[in-house]
Amino acid sequence: MTTPATRTLMVGDKPCRRIRRYRLQSKGGTPHDFQAQLVRVGSRPGNDLVLEDAAVSRIHFEIHADEIGYRIRDLDSLNGTWVDGYRVVEAYLPSGCIVRAGGSELRFSVLEDEVDIPATSSDGYGPLVGSSIPMRELYAVIDRAAPTDVTVLIEGETGTGKELVARALHEQSSRAGGPFVVLDCGAVPASLLESEIFGHERGAFTGAHARRIGLLEEASRGTLFIDEVGELPIELQPKLLRALEQREIRRLGARDTLALDIRVVAATNRDLAVEVNRGAFREDLFYRLAVVQVTLPALRDRREDIVALTEHFVRKACKGDRKRAAQMLSGIDEENWNRLQAHPWPGNVRQLRNVIERTLALSDPQALAFELPGSETRLDATELGVDLDRPFSEQKAEVMARFEREYLEGQLARHGGNFSRAAAAAGLDRMYFKRLLKKYR
């Protein structure tokens, strides 16, 4: 029988979460007590618990505490994770069970004492919107990390707003007056990525007709946001690690090095711990980036924020026209609010924003009717918006664009934000898939 790991209670007029501590202890060994929502166990330094066992993978398994219990998840380890003699991929742990990784056995025990999970009382933070418990806990982490130069790794599904978290970290730091530079590892062809990151001198390679300043150098005295860092080619990872460790770079074709004065924030929708065990991502770079880790909740896990997010996107679309925004919002009836809050939102906040913007553009402002992806629609002339006074080719292009957008975003959401798998499922080249999708973002 599992024991709930977290519970919700009211502090003043705000709900907060309290977490129950637990213990991992080998036979005759030192007890290790934890009160974090996420704990990772493996053989290499950097884990929350390090097991000196050659049969244990670098990052072997993790335990996540939630309102149901303590969920253990194997991270694609070589020898597997076992609970009371059964191999598991993911399971909830009963108190008193034995967890085995390699040749190491640990007794898992739930303790009696509880601690509060830090959270702010704010309903938003910089560009971030939402007053749900997961978001207020996120704001607390940002508030502590922002004033420092510590490197932060942001994890989360596609569309959850990872770049907004990076911007919040930048805007609340001492570097706010400096540049915020984005390096999108998934949008630049691998053959050009090294030059994009480090820059080059004239004549460094064929086609290098002039000196180019790389993004690392461009971010001097500011923040470099490395988006989709899991897409960084393995051959470039040690070069990036060296630059971050030594705080200096050398442009391609140059002899001299340049000092770096930057803060680094990285983001990924991949599970980098799994990628480390698969050999697709360098362990040392992972630990260098994951000094502080934050995980953005999916929209389905913070449905209470949907109303505030909808109001935010409507006001933003109305560009400061409060009267028009109020008119639009008053046109949303109870049925539509319920539909918005009940929808699974596989594309998260980005998908919600797109639905709202499309609805505002195509619906009667007096009675907004949200057309949600996957919902049943009548394909008659009224629904399709057929206008016999407009050219066939013009209207066909609009319908095809709508199909293209829904199809590509649906594939990406189905495959957890992984562009490579989504492109393969669609039968498209990965870079072509990204170029198509970029038209609608």
Side-chain angles (χ1 to χ4, degrees):
M1 180 178 179
T2 61
T3 303
T6 65
R7 63 188 181 98
T8 302
L9 64 160
M10 297 298 295
V11 175
D13 62 343
K14 294 285 186 181
C16 74
R17 281 195 287 194
R18 188 164 286 173
I19 186 169
R20 179 171 290 183
R21 287 152 51 90
Y22 63 92
R23 174 172 295 168
L24 291 171
Q25 183 175 13
S26 60
K27 188 175 181 180
T30 303
H32 299 275
D33 296 349
F34 298 99
Q35 60 190 42
Q37 287 181 278
L38 179 65
V39 167
R40 286 189 170 130
V41 178
S43 61
R44 298 297 179 88
N47 286 288
D48 300 289
L49 176 58
V50 178
L51 301 177
E52 295 181 359
D53 182 341
V56 172
S57 293
R58 289 172 287 191
I59 311 173
H60 201 101
F61 66 82
E62 67 182 19
I63 297 175
H64 182 81
D66 60 29
E67 67 280 358
I68 297 175
Y70 303 85
R71 177 165 45 90
I72 191 169
R73 186 168 72 95
D74 181 75
L75 297 173
D76 204 21
S77 64
L78 181 62
N79 295 313
T81 299
W82 303 73
V83 176
D84 283 342
Y86 293 94
R87 186 167 185 168
V88 300
V89 175
E90 192 167 344
Y92 281 96
L93 298 173
S95 186
C97 70
I98 300 297
V99 178
R100 179 164 63 85
S104 302
E105 291 190 345
L106 301 166
R107 178 174 293 277
F108 168 82
S109 306
V110 178
L111 306 178
E112 290 301 318
D113 52 325
E114 296 177 310
V115 294
D116 289 340
I117 301 172
T120 69
S121 59
S122 176
D123 292 341
Y125 195 102
L128 297 164
V129 174
S131 59
S132 61
I133 293 178
M135 292 304 290
R136 291 192 295 107
E137 290 170 353
L138 173 66
Y139 302 156
V141 176
I142 295 173
D143 214 33
R144 293 196 302 272
T148 73
D149 266 352
V150 68
T151 304
V152 179
L153 177 63
I154 307 166
E155 299 176 307
E157 296 178 9
T158 184
T160 48
K162 293 185 284 295
E163 184 171 340
L164 294 182
V165 174
R167 288 188 180 277
L169 285 163
H170 173 71
E171 290 168 4
Q172 298 301 316
S173 74
S174 61
R175 297 177 177 271
F180 179 84
V181 177
V182 179
L183 164 59
D184 188 344
C185 297
V188 181
S191 59
L192 301 178
L193 198 52
E194 185 173 6
S195 174
E196 186 80 5
I197 297 172
F198 299 99
H200 63 254
E201 295 291 343
R202 179 181 178 184
F205 51 83
T206 303
H209 301 301
R211 170 186 286 179
R212 176 186 174 86
I213 301 299
L215 294 180
L216 280 167
E217 190 176 347
E218 193 177 313
S220 180
R221 299 187 180 181
T223 300
L224 177 69
F225 173 50
I226 309 176
D227 198 10
E228 294 191 39
V229 70
E231 305 287 338
L232 186 68
I234 192 74
E235 62 271 15
L236 284 184
Q237 292 178 21
K239 296 181 180 181
L240 177 62
L241 175 64
R242 191 177 306 114
L244 299 183
E245 290 284 2
Q246 299 178 358
R247 294 289 161 168
E248 62 180 25
I249 59 167
R250 180 184 287 114
R251 298 192 197 112
L252 299 181
R255 293 182 179 180
D256 299 328
T257 59
L258 300 169
L260 286 180
D261 177 15
I262 60 172
R263 199 262 182 90
V264 175
V265 178
T268 181
N269 52 39
R270 291 192 182 192
D271 191 330
L272 289 190
V274 170
E275 297 299 310
V276 166
N277 284 334
R278 290 175 179 170
F281 200 85
R282 286 182 63 104
E283 174 192 6
D284 45 9
L285 179 57
F286 170 73
Y287 287 126
R288 185 64 188 82
L289 295 173
V291 179
V292 171
Q293 286 179 262
V294 296
T295 301
L296 267 70
L299 186 54
R300 60 183 173 276
D301 295 327
R302 56 178 189 115
R303 295 180 187 275
E304 57 268 49
D305 289 333
I306 288 176
V307 171
L309 285 164
T310 301
E311 293 174 345
H312 170 73
F313 290 133
V314 168
R315 293 190 182 103
K316 194 171 181 180
C318 291
K319 298 178 180 178
D321 188 338
R322 294 186 178 183
K323 185 176 180 180
R324 182 166 176 261
Q327 181 187 37
M328 292 280 192
L329 290 168
S330 65
I332 305 175
D333 59 22
E334 184 177 356
E335 179 184 352
N336 272 280
W337 279 122
N338 290 338
R339 290 174 66 226
L340 286 174
Q341 292 180 299
H343 193 70
W345 299 112
N348 293 295
V349 178
R350 180 186 292 133
Q351 185 185 21
L352 173 64
R353 182 197 66 198
N354 291 344
V355 166
I356 291 168
E357 289 176 352
R358 183 168 60 247
T359 300
L360 294 179
L362 301 177
S363 296
D364 178 358
Q366 303 295 330
L368 296 183
F370 294 100
E371 183 180 326
L372 304 181
S375 60
E376 295 183 2
T377 55
R378 294 180 296 110
L379 298 180
D380 58 19
T382 302
E383 292 292 322
L384 287 173
V386 172
D387 184 351
L388 298 180
D389 293 327
R390 294 174 61 203
F392 168 83
S393 58
E394 183 180 300
Q395 293 189 68
K396 179 182 177 182
E398 289 179 0
V399 173
M400 291 302 294
R402 177 178 164 188
F403 158 76
E404 196 173 79
R405 178 178 185 168
E406 295 291 345
Y407 180 84
L408 296 173
E409 289 189 342
Q411 285 286 11
L412 190 61
R414 173 179 287 183
H415 292 87
N418 187 296
F419 282 94
S420 297
R421 290 198 288 266
L428 298 172
D429 173 77
R430 178 177 169 279
M431 293 308 298
Y432 180 61
F433 182 97
K434 293 197 75 168
R435 284 198 300 273
L436 284 177
L437 189 59
K438 196 171 183 179
K439 294 190 300 183
Y440 306 107
R441 294 187 170 181

